[in-house]
Amino acid sequence: MTAGNPELANDLGDLMTARTFAPPAGKALPSRYIVGGHSAGGHFASALGARLDANGYGNLAGAVLFDPVAAGGFTANLQAISDGGNRQVLAVTARPSLTNSFNNAHEALIGLANPYVGLQLVWEKYTLGVPVGGSCHIDVEGENTDIIGIAGAGCSANKTQTARLRDFGSTWAKDLATGTRTAAYYCTDAAVVSTCGSKVKDLVDRSLPLAAPIR
């Protein structure tokens, strides 16, 4: 997935547009697509989504990204997926670090027409009033990470943050797949906490927040 592997993204996007490949045995190929990925895979997802848009595929629902690391073309890819805010682009990111190129995807995310593009996780909890357990680039991998991931990230996946990622990611994906909106997981305006749903406020609206809307 280094640099998003645009050639593979284009090839896969063409197959998905033509609907000429088969999913695992016994599964039907859905007509509505959501692109998603983690780290460099987040850039790959952006390239895949942009290809589907360029091919005129009408059932691209949007994107759900996990601490994406941007490479060349990422901004244009997200703009293509967003379609001026008509499609949802959502992300959960970790604290700035070498492994996420110090949140180099944020500029592209906040530049979209979408009024809410997700959350940056910061802390896990308070211990004796002190914030501890900050987010890690591999939180999304959870118990499936390995020694290479831990060594590369310089931190271990945090169970609490992994649970938050799975909660937001699965809810957003279900909403995109079904055309619904679970209000608790969104903000009407990312810059105004009072417009955020209860799940967002529970992390954000504190004296020392556990997360922050990407804005």
Side-chain angles (χ1 to χ4, degrees), residues 67-148:
D67 212 21
V69 176
F74 185 72
T75 296
N77 291 344
L78 290 196
Q79 289 173 346
I81 296 170
S82 169
D83 187 31
N86 291 317
R87 299 190 194 104
Q88 193 73 65
V89 176
L90 296 157
V92 179
T93 64
R95 293 164 61 197
S97 68
L98 182 63
T99 49
N100 65 16
S101 293
F102 299 97
N103 292 134
N104 75 335
H106 275 204
E107 184 176 355
L109 288 164
I110 63 178
L112 296 174
N114 307 70
Y116 173 70
V117 292
L119 290 171
Q120 179 182 14
L121 297 178
V122 185
W123 306 106
E124 175 198 359
K125 61 183 178 181
Y126 297 93
T127 298
L128 299 177
V130 177
V132 296
S135 54
C136 177
H137 179 63
I138 58 170
D139 283 333
V140 70
E141 297 175 9
E143 67 276 11
N144 298 309
T145 196
D146 56 25
I147 190 65
I148 296 174

Side-chain angles (χ1 to χ4, degrees), residues 19-102:
R19 302 177 60 76
T20 54
F21 74 105
K27 302 290 184 180
L29 184 67
S31 61
R32 194 167 174 85
Y33 296 149
I34 303 160
V35 295
H38 168 230
S39 193
H43 185 96
F44 175 81
S46 79
L48 176 60
R51 185 67 167 193
L52 290 166
D53 175 77
N55 288 345
Y57 190 78
N59 273 318
L60 173 62
V64 179
L65 308 175
F66 301 100
D67 212 21
V69 176
F74 185 72
T75 296
N77 291 344
L78 290 196
Q79 289 173 346
I81 296 170
S82 169
D83 187 31
N86 291 317
R87 299 190 194 104
Q88 193 73 65
V89 176
L90 296 157
V92 179
T93 64
R95 293 164 61 197
S97 68
L98 182 63
T99 49
N100 65 16
S101 293
F102 299 97

Side-chain angles (χ1 to χ4, degrees), residues 135-214:
S135 54
C136 177
H137 179 63
I138 58 170
D139 283 333
V140 70
E141 297 175 9
E143 67 276 11
N144 298 309
T145 196
D146 56 25
I147 190 65
I148 296 174
I150 293 169
C155 52
S156 298
N158 180 294
K159 290 182 180 180
T160 300
Q161 302 289 37
T162 297
R164 289 170 179 158
L165 279 157
R166 290 175 176 170
D167 183 27
F168 274 83
S170 61
T171 301
W172 288 339
K174 183 177 180 181
D175 282 349
L176 289 176
T178 60
T180 56
R181 183 180 176 88
T182 307
Y185 291 79
Y186 302 85
C187 302
T188 303
D189 182 345
V192 182
V193 173
S194 62
T195 71
C196 298
S198 59
K199 280 284 187 174
V200 179
K201 285 183 178 179
D202 183 54
L203 298 174
V204 172
D205 196 14
R206 302 179 182 221
S207 57
L208 187 68
L210 305 181
I214 299 171

